[in-house]
Amino acid sequence: MNTFKDFISFNNYVGLAAPLNDHIDVGTYPDKTRLKSEAVFIDFYRVSFKTNYINSDLPGYDSENPKPITAVFFNNPGSAYEWDLDDKFEGYYLHLSRDLIDKHRYLFQNYLEYGYHEALFLTKEEETEVINLYQFLIKHYRNNLENYNVLLASINLILNMVESYYRRQFKTDIKVYSPIVSEFQQLLRDYYKGPIEGIPTVHYFAEKMHLTPNYLGDVIKTYTHKSTIETIHEHVAESAKTLLKESSLSNTEIAFELGFDYPNYFARFFKKQTQLTPKQFRAKFKLID
């Protein structure tokens, strides 16, 4: 499987123009872009805006009446993807190196880790805004490359605008995203019914659901107004309350039952969640002498 560690080799493979910089590469898709490829890996971030785009792997694709769409796609380092398109498409691409993201952390947004599975479908107004932003960035990339601050500010604006569009998509496409919330909540309820692997984590549930942690977290927060970890901790605390009220297990036994490695950590966790120590909680319910 091909792995592309730099813009030059990837652009040559796809048929894009040679990059002008090792950390930022932006441009328009040419007429002769590679339409089919086996799975490849890239070692950088891609933000791809495509119009007149038809792909049978996308949700809602109808083989009897394939309609072109306009959407933004992301690829993050280490993710594999392949494509098989019937016709050419138009649009813009933005490549960002790992070093750029690591050095300028304010550019880093959760959605850059959503993975290839999640496309962003744009409204007409959003499409116009994205095109204007890309054109502004391309102009300064080609004519003002030495002014790095302008490029960084433009990239930051594109990423923040797209993040806001994702929040809109999460809220408006309930049929797609509410099942994700329901599945997460069911997995959380079932967690202590079988063998456990310590305290439940966001990564555990994301892996079970074949999603990235950041993607899962943003969907959960959009619908519940709580972060994934807050929801998990609330569930652990409620499970602890049930055991403290209804079982004869000691506090130490309950700590291990819930996946805590150390009873003291359980005590601190429980107090943070309930403002009471396990002993105080039991005393409040008159479950100890």
Side-chain angles (χ1 to χ4, degrees), residues 41-185:
F41 282 102
I42 60 171
D43 198 36
F44 50 87
Y45 294 90
R46 296 191 72 236
V47 185
S48 182
F49 169 71
K50 298 176 181 178
T51 63
N52 192 36
Y53 183 72
I54 299 176
N55 189 331
S56 60
D57 292 331
L58 293 177
Y61 173 80
D62 183 357
S63 59
E64 299 295 325
N65 185 26
K67 295 181 179 180
I69 57 97
T70 295
V72 176
F73 302 87
F74 295 90
N75 306 105
N76 51 356
S79 62
Y81 70 104
E82 58 187 297
W83 61 94
D84 186 359
L85 309 178
D86 293 329
D87 202 358
K88 67 180 182 179
F89 57 90
E90 301 169 345
Y92 304 86
Y93 61 88
L94 171 62
H95 299 160
L96 304 171
S97 71
R98 283 177 180 261
D99 289 343
L100 181 83
I101 297 299
D102 290 342
K103 185 176 180 180
H104 303 279
R105 298 303 297 180
Y106 70 94
L107 290 174
F108 189 87
Q109 305 294 334
N110 276 345
Y111 61 81
L112 286 178
E113 296 297 333
Y114 282 177
Y116 186 64
H117 64 273
E118 179 59 13
L120 169 63
F121 299 95
L122 301 176
T123 65
K124 283 295 183 183
E125 182 179 355
E126 292 167 352
E127 180 182 340
T128 300
E129 289 177 336
V130 170
I131 289 174
N132 289 337
L133 290 172
Y134 262 105
Q135 289 178 342
F136 179 85
L137 177 58
I138 289 172
K139 174 185 175 181
H140 284 272
Y141 181 71
R142 292 174 178 170
N143 303 320
N144 197 19
L145 187 58
E146 70 279 359
N147 195 337
Y148 225 60
N149 288 334
V150 172
L151 297 178
L152 291 175
S154 301
I155 292 168
N156 191 30
L157 182 56
I158 289 175
L159 298 184
N160 277 285
M161 289 295 288
V162 171
E163 183 179 35
S164 71
Y165 301 156
Y166 259 116
R167 294 196 189 107
R168 183 268 307 155
Q169 180 165 293
F170 289 155
K171 291 178 181 177
T172 55
D173 204 344
I174 297 175
K175 289 183 179 179
V176 173
Y177 299 106
S178 59
I180 293 175
V181 179
S182 298
E183 182 181 357
F184 165 71
Q185 291 172 335

Side-chain angles (χ1 to χ4, degrees), residues 208-224:
K208 286 284 186 181
M209 299 172 69
H210 306 290
L211 302 172
T212 58
N214 287 337
Y215 176 71
L216 174 62
D218 281 357
V219 172
I220 297 301
K221 192 164 188 177
T222 296
Y223 282 89
T224 68

